[in-house]
Amino acid sequence: MDTQALALALPLIGWASHTALLTHRLATARRDPLTGLRTRAGWTALAERIIRRHPDAVVLLLDLDDFKNLNDSHGHAAGDVALAVTAERLATWCGRHGIAGRLGGDEFVAIARQALDLESLHRSLRQPVAYAGRRLPVSVSVGSCHVKDLPVRSLSDALATADSAMYADKGKAGRRGTRPLSR
């Protein structure tokens, strides 16, 4: 290769390398490093698209009950395992029909193109989590919103409805980790 061709090729190689690096950074910023789920920004863009295209979509909001106590009693590593297992169970439930995300802390979100079996999700999420030779009990409150039941199909309205339903789920008698409905 002559020097003139090399002089022309080097900036292109540098530009391609820089573009690849930026693309990688953008992709990783849209994924939660602990769970591998999409972050709020990555999930929201896809969820809005699903709501526009699928009138039978269902939006879920999930929150681990009494998560602070789990961290305080068993350590933050146990809490991280509980978060990762919950994320895996939620992503498995969504499968190819939806998208799961982590909003932050112990809050998760999901959207499915059509109503899937919510009872199977509840059963899966209630299974204990294996950690350090023990089986830690996990309880997750889940709120859902069928988009077709909204007066106007919007993600913000669906999340607000799912949030109300989630707090109602937390308030059910006999549940572990329930807390008063103060909003």
Side-chain angles (χ1 to χ4, degrees):
M1 180 180 265
D2 67 351
T3 53
Q4 189 175 26
L6 184 61
L8 290 172
L10 280 177
L12 291 175
I13 293 169
W15 177 80
S17 298
H18 183 70
T19 300
L21 176 67
L22 290 177
T23 301
H24 174 71
R25 284 186 180 169
L26 180 61
T28 57
R30 293 188 179 268
R31 295 278 180 179
D32 175 59
L34 177 64
T35 65
L37 295 181
R38 295 185 183 279
T39 60
R40 181 184 303 264
W43 181 85
T44 299
L46 294 170
E48 287 175 342
R49 187 175 327 142
I50 288 173
I51 285 176
R52 281 192 308 272
R53 295 179 181 173
H54 301 278
D56 291 332
V58 61
V59 174
L60 281 72
L61 200 57
L62 302 88
D63 184 72
L64 272 70
D65 298 326
D66 212 18
F67 185 68
K68 182 181 180 330
N69 187 43
L70 176 73
N71 273 338
D72 292 347
S73 300
H74 301 282
H76 289 279
D80 286 352
V81 169
L83 291 170
V85 168
T86 299
E88 180 183 336
R89 291 172 179 173
L90 182 58
T92 298
W93 178 81
C94 285
R96 296 184 335 228
H97 303 287
I99 301 158
R102 181 175 177 210
L103 296 180
D106 62 344
E107 292 183 324
F108 295 87
V109 67
I111 187 167
R113 290 178 185 92
Q114 71 264 353
L116 299 173
D117 181 10
L118 289 175
E119 187 53 40
S120 69
L121 175 63
H122 283 274
R123 278 192 306 273
S124 172
L125 293 173
R126 285 192 297 254
Q127 297 300 311
V129 171
Y131 175 74
R134 290 179 279 176
R135 296 180 58 76
L136 304 176
V138 175
S139 177
V140 181
S141 294
V142 180
S144 64
C145 173
H146 294 267
V147 175
K148 66 183 175 189
D149 295 338
L150 296 172
V152 176
R153 288 186 345 200
S154 76
L155 181 58
S156 60
D157 288 349
L159 285 170
T161 301
D163 186 54
S164 294
M166 181 192 68
Y167 276 96
D169 191 38
K170 278 191 180 295
K172 285 183 182 174
R175 287 183 47 86
R176 274 186 3 84
T178 58
R179 59 182 180 223
L181 299 176
S182 58
R183 291 210 34 88

